[in-house]
Amino acid sequence: MSDRITLSKVTAAREVLHGIAHTTPIVTSRSLDHESNALVFLKCENFQRTGSFKFRGAYNAVSQLKLQNHRGSVITVSSGNHAQGIALACRLLGYQAQVVMPKPFAEMKYRSVRSYGATVIVAEDRTDAEQLLSNLVDEPSAAFVHPFNDPDVIAGQGTVMMELIEQQPHLDAVLAPVGGGGLLSGLCVTSHALNPRTKIYACEPAGALDAMESVKENRIVPATVLSTIADGLRTSLGDLTLPILRRHLTGFFVVEEREIATAMSFAFERLKVVIEPSSAVALAPLLRRESSLIGKRIGIVLTGGNVDQDLFCRCLDAATAAEGGTRERREI
Amino acid sequence: MSDRITLSKVTAAREVLHGIAHTTPIVTSRSLDHESNALVFLKCENFQRTGSFKFRGAYNAVSQLKLQNHRGSVITVSSGNHAQGIALACRLLGYQAQVVMPKPFAEMKYRSVRSYGATVIVAEDRTDAEQLLSNLVDEPSAAFVHPFNDPDVIAGQGTVMMELIEQQPHLDAVLAPVGGGGLLSGLCVTSHALNPRTKIYACEPAGALDAMESVKENRIVPATVLSTIADGLRTSLGDLTLPILRRHLTGFFVVEEREIATAMSFAFERLKVVIEPSSAVALAPLLRRESSLIGKRIGIVLTGGNVDQDLFCRCLDAATAAEGGTRERREI
């Protein structure tokens, strides 16, 4: 099935997104280079429209519906960033969006989805969400856009890598967080076609290690025990994303919860960028000087910046407390 | 005296800074464009080394000392960002930095200056700082670099405009905060030479309006009553900066304290960038849809991101409280 996602599909997605999605900037930091002992290029998808990369895949997928002359509403299930992507894409393309949001979700994501004009159906949990979704999908005029297990969504996310390669052609490795694997699949397919020697790593919270287990066992291990603040990474892989990740991923980095808070705090204090917990998961391996990254040219996808201010400030406090408030700047 | 700062001096500063200072990216946001009813380009000097534009001028000035074969220590007085710039410049160029820091200052700025290897002398207030400084400057091997009233510092800050013009050649206006006027003088001189039709506006907190009064009265009105959280803007103009601002500035925007918190919160929630209060002063006029900016192409210099996390989170809370926690995303 992974053959359905090709470079030409990513190239087509880029055409679709031209003038619609931002070409996000690369940010560099001597402090980060020093801290990680690597040369780091941050692809700032937190500056993307809706505050995350998810807008790319969502818009690309919804625009394909238009081509097929599909009318009516677009339905999805998402705790946040994909929901925002779908909501804005529908507003721009003239559809009604219906979004099932399973708890827990960030308050700002809920507000944002609503403000784009989408109808939000709150689900108590993921099981409840599946039930609510199946009722909606039965409507004949409704089209469902999966958050990640969809070739058009994956192709849209692949445009992140296409831009990154143009901005920094010689990367040794690229790191991104893994939830359902849509972004990583897009990165893998694009990188494999254009820069096959670049290594691609998935970063996953220790509290939701289903993707690593799925790739190891070559079956979709459901995300069941979920104890992470990285709200975007609480999903299992799909039958489209698993084979792509198995084929192309170099490996996984497992990240502890305290490292997530530390990475958010580092981004605040040194990088001056706001990242949500799921993004911090991809920054954390650098901050602990993961040995395989030392001395290398590393691209990091900062996937999003949609975090409630209460949680954000609690993470900053936790990070400061953990280090006794004594961190010194060590740039040289 | 302003004739001492010419475009060729800015061009020379750019050569000096090449490969040393970051060429900072431009960030755009549909939300901000919508909110301001303008087309806005954010020049992100908060991503500059040391977290503010001040590194440019400091490094340029300290490197001139080197050319004159000056040995020994470099002395300055600054509550924060210029101090960090001097400290890092001295570390890179092999000088000892001695920094007088008058209270109040951000804790993170103090830690940062120290971590670059500078000697910090804490002063109780600006009067105390002047006294401490005069003792230091008497040392024969010491060179003093003023935070803004110095042609090499102003030329270094002018490189911000040189980059901005290359990145966005057709701006109707550029906004920046004003403290001592070093950045604005650099912007004015460079813009006047390269893009004379671009209007330059100074943004000043209502709690420290000395620059506006100085320009109006054509004399340096001392900054005395200082009731603003914008810690970088608590200085008076200098005899170099006043005539440049008088000659080239289009006008001033006066910003209230509550608008500073609102702009910081907007930057956090929508732009995903961390800005310090002094930076927020230049964003605020857009958020209130200042009439002369509507429909225009506007450049904003986000001057820095060095803010203690406690103050940052207090500002976010204050902004949320002020709007009853009901702000909705209004991007279209």
Side-chain angles (χ1 to χ4, degrees), chain B:
Chain B
M1 281 186 92
S2 65
D3 293 339
R4 288 163 61 191
I5 301 128
T6 58
L7 183 65
S8 65
K9 227 170 152 53
V10 180
T11 307
R14 191 146 189 225
E15 287 294 311
V16 168
L17 294 172
H18 181 74
I20 305 284
H22 288 315
T23 301
T24 52
I26 303 285
V27 166
T28 58
S29 155
R30 305 278 180 130
S31 292
L32 177 55
D33 291 351
H34 179 67
E35 199 81 13
S36 61
N37 210 352
L39 214 54
V40 188
F41 302 90
L42 301 166
K43 177 67 173 162
C44 288
E45 285 294 301
N46 51 336
F47 301 157
Q48 187 51 267
R49 292 180 80 171
T50 72
S52 100
F53 74 94
K54 289 274 189 179
F55 174 67
R56 296 176 186 257
Y59 187 91
N60 189 50
V62 175
S63 73
Q64 304 306 315
L65 300 179
K66 191 179 183 183
L67 290 174
Q68 291 155 25
N69 201 27
H70 199 106
R71 290 285 156 230
S73 62
V74 177
I75 296 165
T76 198
V77 56
S78 157
S79 66
N81 284 334
H82 174 68
Q84 291 181 77
I86 289 290
L88 177 56
C90 284
R91 163 170 279 197
L92 295 172
L93 292 164
Y95 292 96
Q96 178 58 40
Q98 293 189 280
V99 178
V100 178
M101 289 185 74
K103 291 182 183 174
F105 48 73
E107 184 61 28
M108 76 177 304
K109 291 178 178 175
Y110 173 82
R111 286 206 313 273
S112 171
V113 171
R114 289 274 308 248
S115 72
Y116 288 133
T119 305
V120 179
I121 301 117
V122 174
E124 288 308 308
D125 52 34
R126 290 196 171 263
T127 313
D128 185 31
E130 291 299 324
Q131 183 59 50
L132 288 165
L133 192 66
S134 64
N135 298 344
L136 286 173
V137 174
D138 281 348
E139 293 177 20
S141 66
F144 174 66
V145 177
H146 194 279
F148 54 86
N149 206 49
D150 176 312
D152 296 315
V153 169
I154 293 172
Q157 323 304 32
T159 63
V160 173
M161 182 62 93
M162 206 168 255
E163 283 178 23
L164 178 55
I165 288 171
E166 286 171 13
Q167 291 164 315
Q168 281 298 331
H170 304 296
L171 293 175
D172 296 308
V174 172
L175 276 63
V178 63
L183 170 63
L184 268 163
S185 293
L187 300 178
C188 280
V189 169
T190 312
S191 178
H192 179 71
L194 296 175
N195 262 7
R197 296 208 305 203
T198 302
K199 294 174 176 171
I200 311 287
Y201 292 94
C203 305
E204 194 165 37
L209 274 184
D210 58 286
M212 191 171 79
E213 288 164 16
S214 300
V215 168
K216 200 187 295 175
E217 300 182 19
N218 196 19
R219 65 177 183 95
I220 297 169
V221 177
T224 46
V225 186
L226 300 170
S227 50
T228 176
I229 55 166
D231 57 316
L233 309 182
R234 293 182 187 132
T235 43
S236 318
L237 296 184
D239 62 357
L240 273 182
T241 57
L242 174 58
I244 299 176
L245 267 49
R246 265 185 69 85
R247 188 188 298 177
H248 296 299
L249 271 190
T250 300
F252 282 81
F253 293 121
V254 178
V255 171
E256 302 293 333
E257 290 299 296
R258 61 172 171 70
E259 292 184 279
I260 297 176
T262 299
M264 286 173 73
S265 172
F266 185 92
F268 166 79
E269 189 173 322
R270 313 274 192 99
L271 309 176
K272 316 301 179 188
V273 299
V274 176
I275 57 175
E276 58 184 277
S278 303
S279 282
V281 170
L283 187 56
L286 281 166
L287 297 182
R288 70 180 183 220
R289 298 197 176 197
E290 195 62 53
S291 60
S292 54
L293 306 178
I294 286 178
K296 299 290 200 299
R297 297 172 64 89
I298 309 292
I300 304 284
V301 184
L302 294 184
T303 46
N306 294 322
V307 51
D308 285 339
Q309 68 186 53
D310 283 355
L311 176 62
F312 185 77
C313 290
R314 282 206 309 277
C315 286
L316 297 190
D317 285 347
T320 307
E323 50 188 45
T326 58
R327 185 171 61 214
E328 298 288 321
R329 188 183 288 255
R330 284 187 294 264
E331 176 184 353
I332 49 166

Side-chain angles (χ1 to χ4, degrees), chain A residues 178 203-210 227-230 233 253-257 260 281:
Chain A
V178 63
C203 305
E204 194 166 36
L209 274 184
D210 58 286
S227 50
T228 176
I229 56 166
L233 310 181
F253 293 120
V254 179
V255 171
E256 302 293 334
E257 290 299 296
I260 296 176
V281 171

Side-chain angles (χ1 to χ4, degrees), chain A residues 92-109:
Chain A
L92 294 172
L93 291 163
Y95 292 97
Q96 177 59 39
Q98 294 188 280
V99 179
V100 178
M101 290 186 73
K103 291 182 182 172
F105 49 73
E107 183 61 27
M108 76 176 304
K109 290 178 178 175

